[in-house]
Amino acid sequence: LYLNGATPFSLNRTRDNLLLNGTASLVVYSASGAQTLANSIYNNITLSGSGTKTSSPPGSVTVNGIMSMEGTAVMTSNTISYGPNSSLRYKGDLAQTSGDEFPLTLPGSGGLIIDNSNGITLNEDKTVTYSITFINGIISSGTNTLTLSNNGTVTGAGAGNYVNGNFEKGIAAATASISFEVGDATNYTPVIIGFAGTTNGAGFITVSTTSGDHPMIGTSSFSPSYTVNRYWTISNNGVTGYTSYDATFNYISSDLDPDTDPLSLVSGLYTGGAWTYPTNGTSTLTSLQATGLTAFGDFQLGVYIGTFRSSASGDWSQASTWEVFVGGVWTGAPAVPSVGASVNIVTNAADFEKGGKASMSYGNDNFQKYGLMLSSGEMDNGFAITAQGTHTRGNGYVDGTKFEAWS
């Protein structure tokens, strides 16, 4: 049934009624201008055309199927009642802003459906109980927050289909991992959080991302010339029971500063006016995992610059053999020293035992390498002296490239 008049549909006969109660029934208000909705229970209803659509009195319209906002139509100063199987869909011709068709809490199992490539902007904080389905388009929360209850799901998220702004999710009991489908105005850069321990089934986690380096990066141990040019904000409201959490931050390659090696990145957490540097987990060319987290705040990715020292014997390609000097104390390094920024490496000579070590290596083309290391071990005064030298020589693979070197 298509209605394009300014007033509610009427049969103009006393006591006559038109009942549209089939599950596929649809009433479309399509006028180019203001319309008043008939007070009724609808299965599916579409507000299209243009102008403001109203109902009187507020709350006199119930939707049991799909409420679809299309064209450039808007709805203000009214309250729609939604049935248990209902959904709200945005499918406008231009960018849309939510109005009173979107209650503070959307209760229907069909949830919120986004099908507008021009995007949707929230006019206030909104909660979706069951599901958010992305077909096409971005939800921008601005300074508001979009909340999904702890039994809710997100489908269809990806490039061009995500939340730009504050996205809050309820955390169900015993949640092991949860994704936050967030990005900025143009890029999808989601966060995946994994919990160690058992979450309590109450509370919410909120995630957002902001393009550009963190405003306090000048107080960090990052070089602003070697960073991912965005940061993420994670906050916790009432989630307990876990012992720690990991966070995987996804970015796009164009976020990287020139000549920045993505596999040399570490994460920095800014909270309480200070920076800390969590231990790296898995890293890829467009993601980095921070592990063993207990605090929340702002997360920046970059190449760490500062003073490293070897803290244990073993493989220097492992972070566990290094410490960094942060806040006046030596603490475990988040990663190994890397090329891409200034690094001062201080070896801990006192860790070597008294004695020495000699080595010899041979290879093709008369390659020879000799090494000698001598150490005093830790002396009575707490100092130690360690010296190491090498001599390398060979004929070279090509005639006339004989070489010899000392170090």
Side-chain angles (χ1 to χ4, degrees), residues 153-227:
T153 60
V154 175
T155 57
N161 301 329
Y162 55 85
V163 178
N164 171 22
N166 301 313
F167 193 14
E168 180 180 73
K169 287 189 176 185
I171 306 302
T175 295
S177 179
I178 187 167
S179 297
F180 288 82
E181 297 82 0
V182 298
D184 59 20
T186 55
N187 296 310
Y188 179 53
T189 54
V191 175
I192 302 171
I193 294 178
F195 294 97
T198 304
T199 54
N200 63 338
F204 299 84
I205 299 290
T206 304
V207 176
S208 65
T209 185
T210 305
S211 60
D213 286 336
H214 192 276
M216 297 303 292
I217 195 169
T219 65
S220 75
S221 294
F222 291 133
S223 167
S225 299
Y226 297 96
T227 64

Side-chain angles (χ1 to χ4, degrees), residues 46-50 68-74 91-96 116:
T46 295
L47 307 186
S48 62
S50 62
S68 188
M69 299 297 297
E70 302 183 14
T72 60
V74 296
K91 196 178 181 180
D93 295 335
L94 302 174
Q96 294 175 283
N116 183 347

Side-chain angles (χ1 to χ4, degrees), residues 97-392:
T97 299
S98 63
D100 289 334
E101 77 285 344
F102 195 156
L104 293 178
T105 299
L106 187 65
S109 61
L112 177 65
I113 303 170
I114 305 300
D115 190 11
N116 183 347
S117 61
N118 298 295
I120 312 299
T121 299
L122 297 185
N123 67 326
E124 59 184 339
D125 293 345
K126 300 291 187 181
T127 296
V128 177
T129 302
Y130 287 104
S131 67
I132 299 173
T133 300
F134 289 96
I135 298 174
N136 193 10
I138 297 170
I139 306 173
S140 297
S141 67
T143 58
N144 301 308
T145 299
L146 177 64
T147 300
L148 182 64
S149 298
N150 64 14
N151 56 349
T153 60
V154 175
T155 57
N161 301 329
Y162 55 85
V163 178
N164 171 22
N166 301 313
F167 193 14
E168 180 180 73
K169 287 189 176 185
I171 306 302
T175 295
S177 179
I178 187 167
S179 297
F180 288 82
E181 297 82 0
V182 298
D184 59 20
T186 55
N187 296 310
Y188 179 53
T189 54
V191 175
I192 302 171
I193 294 178
F195 294 97
T198 304
T199 54
N200 63 338
F204 299 84
I205 299 290
T206 304
V207 176
S208 65
T209 185
T210 305
S211 60
D213 286 336
H214 192 276
M216 297 303 292
I217 195 169
T219 65
S220 75
S221 294
F222 291 133
S223 167
S225 299
Y226 297 96
T227 64
V228 172
N229 290 298
R230 72 172 56 254
Y231 63 95
W232 293 261
T233 300
I234 306 178
S235 61
N236 178 10
N237 181 16
V239 180
T240 61
Y242 63 94
T243 55
S244 66
Y245 73 97
D246 301 337
T248 300
F249 302 95
N250 294 274
Y251 54 90
I252 60 173
S253 57
S254 61
D255 284 337
L256 287 166
D257 281 322
D259 300 322
T260 300
D261 178 7
L263 301 181
S264 296
L265 297 172
V266 301
S267 64
L269 168 60
Y270 184 79
T271 185
W275 290 93
T276 56
Y277 303 92
T279 301
N280 275 9
T282 303
S283 61
T284 72
L285 297 181
T286 55
S287 70
L288 176 66
Q289 182 186 49
T291 64
L293 299 165
T294 56
F296 295 84
D298 297 335
F299 291 86
Q300 172 78 56
L301 309 184
V303 175
Y304 185 91
I305 56 173
T307 302
F308 284 74
R309 75 175 184 184
S310 58
S311 60
S313 59
D315 185 354
W316 276 9
S317 68
Q318 302 298 314
S320 59
T321 62
W322 294 96
E323 290 181 338
V324 291
F325 197 66
V326 179
V329 297
W330 290 100
T331 186
V336 299
S338 60
V339 177
S342 299
V343 178
N344 178 25
I345 303 175
V346 180
T347 58
N348 192 356
D351 282 347
F352 289 105
E353 296 181 356
K354 182 178 180 179
K357 180 180 179 181
S359 62
M360 292 182 293
S361 301
Y362 296 92
N364 60 293
D365 302 299
N366 200 34
F367 174 84
Q368 302 173 40
K369 184 175 182 179
Y370 304 91
L372 178 64
M373 187 273 289
L374 298 173
S375 178
S376 67
E378 186 173 359
M379 298 182 289
D380 293 340
N381 58 8
F383 290 91
I385 299 174
T386 299
Q388 183 171 346
T390 61
H391 177 216
T392 306

Side-chain angles (χ1 to χ4, degrees), residues 19-27 41-45 64-66:
L19 182 63
L20 298 174
N21 63 354
T23 57
S25 64
L26 170 64
V27 176
I41 298 174
Y42 298 83
N43 262 295
N44 304 297
I45 178 173
N64 287 325
I66 299 174

